[in-house]
Amino acid sequence: MLTTVSNPYAARRGTHTHRVPAARPDPRNAVRVYAFTVRAVPAEVSVARKRAARVLWDWGLHEDGLHTASLVISELVGNAARHAAPHSVRTTVALTRTGTMLALAVHDDHPFLPLPRLQADPGQDCGRGLLIVESLAREAGGALQVRPMAERGKEIQAVFPAADSADSADLAACLAAACPVMHFQRQRIS
């Protein structure tokens, strides 16, 4: 089931509307799925970020979306390396792209779910990662989902609305309207 969500930032400048998934994506309906595993150590955060960015670039994700996706992957893999490492030697990163959404997910074997925070502690220099990821996803009309896995561990997934841009003019118009949707180019524009 899909719902139509208006982009509140673009709505001030025009009528940009994108269709986004109302529920968790079903990989059987995916246009593309790519998953890989990294060790749950801080040094692997940059490896995961670069690998995910390379795949998303190959899929046609626009540069603005690549920056957001790279930040999300860095935060999620970094959290797994920092908090799940005693229980999880490896972390799996999954990228799922359908016609209307992009899901960036990280799975680890740590049995506990992260505690939700409504705001960051100003006296701490950490603890803002999931708040940032959730804000980015929500601003775009998506969501941050945390769920325990049936067999072991948990999955944290940021879901973003996505749209194909038919040509450079279509893409430029949407980006100029501050549209936070993840835009994919059907043909790579140099």
Side-chain angles (χ1 to χ4, degrees), residues 24-25 34 36 52-53 55-56 59 61 65-74 76-77 92-97 101-107 133 136-137 143-145 155-160 182 184:
R24 181 171 178 73
Y34 185 84
F36 61 94
V55 169
L56 294 170
W59 288 358
L61 182 60
L66 278 174
H67 294 302
T68 300
S70 294
L71 174 62
V72 169
I73 293 296
S74 292
L76 297 181
V77 174
T92 301
V93 177
L95 313 172
T96 305
R97 163 76 165 107
M101 72 90 203
L102 172 66
L104 309 170
V106 171
H107 172 263
V133 171
L136 289 169
L144 179 68
Q145 302 168 345
E155 179 183 77
I156 301 177
Q157 180 181 61
V159 179
F160 292 88
M182 296 286 194
F184 285 83

Side-chain angles (χ1 to χ4, degrees), residues 12-60:
R12 285 179 268 202
R13 297 176 182 89
T15 56
H16 291 280
T17 306
H18 297 283
R19 293 166 49 90
V20 298
R24 181 171 178 73
D26 183 346
R28 293 171 298 185
N29 297 331
V31 172
R32 296 179 184 217
V33 176
Y34 185 84
F36 61 94
T37 303
V38 295
R39 292 176 298 135
V41 296
E44 294 286 293
V45 173
S46 66
V47 172
R49 178 182 60 247
K50 290 173 186 173
R51 189 166 178 184
R54 187 172 47 252
V55 169
L56 294 170
W57 173 262
D58 289 345
W59 288 358

Side-chain angles (χ1 to χ4, degrees), residues 60-168:
L61 182 60
H62 186 268
E63 187 175 349
D64 288 352
L66 278 174
H67 294 302
T68 300
S70 294
L71 174 62
V72 169
I73 293 296
S74 292
E75 289 296 338
L76 297 181
V77 174
N79 282 350
R82 193 172 303 109
H83 303 293
H87 298 278
S88 185
V89 178
R90 302 189 88 49
T91 299
T92 301
V93 177
L95 313 172
T96 305
R97 163 76 165 107
T98 70
T100 58
M101 72 90 203
L102 172 66
L104 309 170
V106 171
H107 172 263
D108 64 58
D109 289 335
H110 193 288
F112 301 119
L113 300 179
L115 296 174
R117 292 188 182 189
L118 300 177
Q119 62 185 25
D121 182 350
Q124 298 291 323
D125 61 352
C126 61
R128 292 166 177 78
L130 287 181
L131 285 172
I132 292 169
V133 171
E134 182 178 29
S135 293
L136 289 169
R138 190 177 49 236
E139 178 181 289
L144 179 68
Q145 302 168 345
V146 179
R147 68 182 185 113
M149 301 302 286
E151 62 283 354
R152 183 175 177 167
K154 66 183 164 301
E155 179 183 77
I156 301 177
Q157 180 181 61
V159 179
F160 292 88
D164 286 324
S165 298
D167 56 36
S168 58

